[in-house]
Amino acid sequence: MPSNYETLWTHQRYAVIGDSRNATFPRLTYNGLKAHGKTPYAVDPGAAQIDGDPVYPDLTALPEPVEAAVLEVPKTETAAWVGRVADAGIKHLWIHQQRDPPEALDLAKQRGVDVLNGTCAVMYLQGGYHSIHKWINKLIGKY
């Protein structure tokens, strides 16, 4: 039976949220979703395009609703983005490891957003050295 972490990737449309003004955009997650036949929309207030694809400055600019979001912004921005995710009606959210302050997790719970956190999204979407993370997490029961 798949874990909650695995079932997040069964959706079709995702917002992949980054802020390239303050950190690198999460291209591995974005491209991993594309490689799996999903429709990711890049959301980044600091970029016009990612790998030739259009980028949207915020969730309200997306061309269609998404079913889930992956959030990889600086920790100081996480809570504000959780609020935006909830405002957009997105119920499934992945917050990248070490970018999940307690106030952001509390806000998500208050707003009814199902959050997955504490690990790296890329190990579910890419092979290579990320497979080692997957193996270790399966071994310790965090996959």
Side-chain angles (χ1 to χ4, degrees):
M1 180 170 183
S3 70
N4 287 343
Y5 288 94
E6 292 170 299
T7 58
L8 179 80
W9 309 111
T10 62
H11 300 291
Q12 184 57 42
R13 294 179 310 278
Y14 296 81
V16 179
I17 305 166
D19 188 346
S20 59
R21 297 173 300 183
N22 300 310
T24 304
F25 183 82
R27 276 186 167 82
L28 290 175
T29 301
Y30 181 77
N31 289 326
L33 285 165
K34 286 173 69 174
H36 284 273
K38 307 299 182 177
T39 303
Y41 292 106
V43 177
D44 186 332
Q49 57 178 247
I50 300 290
D51 297 337
D53 294 341
V55 174
Y56 303 91
D58 57 53
L59 295 166
T60 63
L62 295 177
E64 64 181 333
V66 297
E67 300 149 311
V70 179
L71 183 56
E72 191 172 333
V73 297
K75 196 174 194 174
T76 56
E77 297 178 25
T78 301
W81 276 104
V82 167
R84 293 178 193 125
V85 165
D87 290 345
I90 301 167
K91 297 295 183 190
H92 307 285
L93 175 63
W94 184 290
I95 300 177
H96 193 70
Q97 64 186 3
Q98 300 178 356
R99 298 174 190 223
D100 51 355
E103 63 272 13
L105 299 176
D106 290 344
L107 178 60
K109 187 175 184 177
Q110 291 168 10
R111 301 286 305 272
V113 177
D114 179 34
V115 171
L116 297 169
N117 64 309
T119 188
C120 177
V122 177
M123 72 179 179
Y124 296 88
L125 300 170
Q126 301 274 340
Y129 69 90
H130 286 95
S131 296
I132 296 168
H133 296 155
K134 184 187 297 186
W135 180 82
I136 291 169
N137 279 334
K138 280 186 175 185
L139 185 67
I140 63 174
K142 289 183 74 176
Y143 185 80

